[in-house]
Amino acid sequence: MIHIREMKAEDAQVVSVLYADSWSRTYGVLYDEAGLETEINKRFSVEKQESEVADPDVITLVAEDDGKIVGASLSKMDERRQAWIDRVHILPEYFGSGLADNLMCATLAKHTGLHSIALKVLKGNDRAISFYEKHGFAITEEIENDDSVGGVASVVMSRTIPRS
């Protein structure tokens, strides 16, 4: 049975590997080997995961199946108090299972009461873009040389959050 909960510091190693493997599978073709390694280390190191758990402006959720972490999502508030989804990653064997949908719904629920939430996804990641569109996000901006993702083109997507 799948259970979604907030990440704990002791989950950092497992979540780091989950994110790095997913990023590598999805975006490895966009970077040379050194660039891919740099992006993965910058984004997904164990130390980064531990610091994010301690940050009150970051919410990391993990999905467990019989105690094994099989997915994770991260959302955060920026300096303007805008909510951003930064990550939704699941193990490949859970593709099509509804796990990513459950993680997205849990992430959105954590931001109930805010007006909107946004995210950035690399241009060409059609699977992710379709997933986000299914959850009510629309492309609001295109960035051709996005410095925050190593100069690769990306899109910003956003949606309003219903008040419950």
Side-chain angles (χ1 to χ4, degrees):
M1 172 139 196
I2 301 291
H3 172 70
I4 296 175
R5 63 171 173 79
E6 289 199 27
M7 182 176 153
K8 301 173 189 166
E10 57 265 25
D11 301 323
Q13 177 66 46
V14 173
V15 172
S16 173
V17 170
L18 183 143
Y19 285 152
D21 288 349
S22 179
W23 181 270
S24 194
R25 264 191 320 278
T26 306
Y27 299 121
V29 298
L30 299 176
Y31 297 93
D32 61 24
E33 192 173 321
L36 181 63
E37 186 176 334
T38 297
E39 285 299 314
I40 287 173
N41 288 335
K42 177 174 74 174
R43 296 170 180 280
F44 308 124
S45 70
V46 172
E47 296 78 20
K48 174 86 170 164
Q49 303 317 303
E50 291 170 341
S51 72
E52 288 171 340
V53 167
D55 187 334
D57 287 331
V58 174
I59 299 169
T60 301
L61 301 177
V62 295
E64 293 179 314
D65 188 1
D66 289 329
K68 176 185 175 187
I69 294 175
V70 297
S73 69
L74 181 141
S75 56
K76 59 187 174 182
M77 300 295 283
D78 69 13
E79 62 282 348
R80 295 172 300 154
R81 306 310 295 162
Q82 166 68 49
W84 288 83
I85 295 174
D86 190 65
R87 304 172 202 145
V88 178
H89 296 270
I90 64 172
L91 294 178
E93 56 266 33
Y94 287 84
F95 289 176
S97 70
L99 174 61
D101 292 321
N102 291 340
L103 264 173
M104 176 59 72
C105 290
T107 299
L108 292 171
K110 288 287 188 178
H111 296 285
T112 299
L114 297 178
H115 179 266
S116 66
I117 192 164
L119 58 90
K120 204 185 282 189
V121 63
L122 296 188
K123 205 170 182 178
N125 187 349
D126 297 334
R127 180 186 182 122
I129 291 169
S130 293
F131 171 76
Y132 295 130
E133 287 174 338
K134 181 175 101 173
H135 286 277
F137 288 84
I139 294 173
T140 56
E141 181 182 358
E142 293 190 25
I143 305 167
E144 285 308 314
N145 296 303
D146 191 345
D147 291 334
S148 71
V149 287
V152 179
S154 66
V155 295
V156 175
M157 302 179 77
S158 63
R159 65 160 281 175
T160 57
I161 301 175
R163 301 193 188 270
S164 50

